[in-house]
């Protein structure tokens, strides 16, 4: 099932398909993966889980190397633009095409990877928060 829509819609389509085929929704890979993460976090103590939460929050909110390179690299090229132009465009050279293609092929996957990692950090944060909230609601043993 190919779709240009995001993961949320893909999960919806899989749930819809499972419902029509009378399958258990928990068998869907994406939901099973979330449950696997949740089960692992349930085995950790709350203090450890908070530390993981802090680390995931850092991951989600941190700028990371990829966005820095995405924003800084063009400025670096701008600083050396005259020399770069002389090198890339000398004597009708096609080096500039290779340069642009390589830059774009490095840039696009890097940006996708960055945002994917941020979204996974968000998933982990939500799971951890739910577990910690549930533990706070539990009665304390005497």
């Amino acid at each position: 099932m190919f779709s240009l829509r995001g993961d949320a819609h893909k999960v919806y389509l899989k749930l819809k398909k499972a419902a029509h085929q009378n399958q258990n929704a928990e068998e869907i890979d994406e939901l099973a993966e979330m449950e696997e993460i949740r089960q692992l976090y349930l085995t950790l103590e709350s203090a450890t889980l908070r530390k993981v939460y802090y680390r995931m929050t850092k991951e989600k909110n941190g700028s990371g190397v990829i966005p820095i390179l995405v924003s800084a690299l063009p400025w670096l090229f701008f600083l050396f633009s005259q020399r770069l132009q002389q090198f890339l465009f000398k004597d009708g050279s096609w080096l500039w095409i290779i340069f642009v293609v390589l830059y774009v092929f490095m840039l696009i996957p890097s940006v996708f990877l960055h945002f994917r990692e941020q979204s996974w950090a968000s998933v982990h944060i939500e799971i951890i928060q739910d577990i910690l909230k549930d533990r706070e609601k539990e009665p304390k043993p005497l």
Side-chain angles (χ1 to χ4, degrees):
M1 139 182 31
F2 178 74
S3 174
L4 293 176
R5 294 189 180 185
D7 288 345
H9 189 71
K10 290 176 187 174
V11 170
Y12 162 75
L13 292 175
K14 287 183 179 184
L15 283 169
K16 183 177 168 183
K17 181 179 177 183
H20 288 307
Q21 295 177 351
N22 294 326
Q23 291 178 336
N24 185 0
E26 294 297 321
E27 293 176 5
I28 295 174
D29 291 340
E30 291 83 355
L31 299 180
E33 185 176 26
M34 295 301 121
E35 184 59 27
E36 185 180 314
I37 293 168
R38 186 178 171 281
Q39 289 301 320
L40 173 68
Y41 286 153
L42 282 170
T43 65
L44 300 177
E45 295 179 13
S46 294
T48 304
L49 205 50
R50 280 188 188 87
K51 291 174 188 171
V52 174
Y53 170 78
Y54 299 147
R55 188 68 186 187
M56 294 296 173
T57 302
K58 177 194 172 290
E59 175 74 23
K60 181 182 174 198
N61 295 331
S63 62
V65 173
I66 293 170
I68 291 171
L69 288 177
V70 167
S71 60
L73 206 53
W75 282 106
L76 184 64
F77 294 152
F78 179 70
L79 287 174
F80 298 105
S81 63
Q82 187 174 4
R83 285 191 177 164
L84 193 59
Q85 285 178 16
Q86 288 172 355
F87 175 73
L88 293 176
F89 298 109
K90 69 178 175 189
D91 301 326
S93 173
W94 289 75
L95 282 177
W96 67 273
I97 292 176
I98 296 169
F99 175 79
V100 169
V101 168
L102 284 176
Y103 181 69
V104 169
F105 276 116
M106 288 176 13
L107 179 72
I108 291 172
S110 298
V111 171
F112 279 116
L113 178 67
H114 171 72
F115 285 109
R116 184 173 181 173
E117 290 302 316
Q118 276 192 334
S119 67
W120 271 110
S122 295
V123 167
H124 286 264
I125 287 169
E126 290 297 322
I127 292 171
I128 291 169
Q129 284 179 332
D130 287 345
I131 292 170
L132 290 173
K133 285 178 188 175
D134 289 345
R135 287 181 181 175
E136 288 174 2
K137 292 177 185 176
E138 292 176 1
K140 305 280 189 234
L142 297 174

